[in-house]
Amino acid sequence: MLHHDDLLCYMIGVSPDNIPGVGTHYDLINRFWLEDPDIEKDRQVSLHPFKRKPRKKLAKNQKLPPRHPGIIQKFVDLALQGENFESRPEKLFQQIFAYVAVRPSAEAGILGDTEKL
């Protein structure tokens, strides 16, 4: 799109004659993304595991048994022990956005009363 829209080029701070390649975008994202690439790859692979269809048909008003019984109790126990499940690789992007966009908007009064947000 940048090759066809000079306004977009100027908005991101590049000249229409000197547009960076697509790989530059991904290099920038990788530098700010705060997650180990190996862990991210494992998570992406595990997000959509292959699932077989159930072999037997269930009777009317009958449900499949839980695949992982007790999993919720395990999470509850870990939470009560103080374990943290937070994984926010985008956190640095959010901090940059808050610093360059949200804070100036709040100081200019564009967001209204920030104590009531």
Side-chain angles (χ1 to χ4, degrees):
M1 290 179 67
L2 291 174
H3 290 288
H4 303 291
D5 194 340
D6 292 350
L7 180 61
L8 285 178
C9 291
Y10 294 125
M11 288 173 63
I12 66 167
V14 298
S15 164
D17 301 330
N18 189 17
I19 298 172
V22 176
T24 308
H25 166 76
Y26 291 106
D27 289 341
L28 178 70
I29 298 298
N30 288 339
R31 290 179 189 200
F32 285 109
W33 203 250
L34 299 176
E35 186 169 43
D36 181 12
D38 295 331
I39 293 173
E40 184 178 9
K41 184 177 180 182
D42 289 344
R43 182 176 311 132
Q44 287 177 352
V45 169
S46 70
L47 280 179
H48 303 287
F50 177 74
K51 295 181 183 178
R52 294 191 180 275
K53 291 185 177 183
R55 291 187 177 145
K56 63 178 185 174
K57 298 288 182 184
L58 299 174
K60 187 175 182 181
N61 295 328
Q62 204 177 29
K63 289 198 251 180
L64 284 172
R67 282 187 162 185
H68 306 286
I71 191 72
I72 300 299
Q73 188 60 48
K74 288 179 187 177
F75 283 126
V76 169
D77 293 341
L78 288 172
L80 292 175
Q81 293 173 7
E83 291 288 331
N84 187 356
F85 304 106
E86 185 175 303
S87 172
R88 293 179 42 207
E90 78 285 353
K91 185 176 181 179
L92 185 57
F93 280 120
Q94 292 173 346
Q95 290 172 343
I96 293 169
F97 178 70
Y99 185 76
V100 300
V102 177
R103 183 186 294 174
S105 296
E107 291 171 356
I110 296 171
L111 302 177
D113 187 3
T114 56
E115 298 296 323
K116 296 182 180 179
L117 288 177

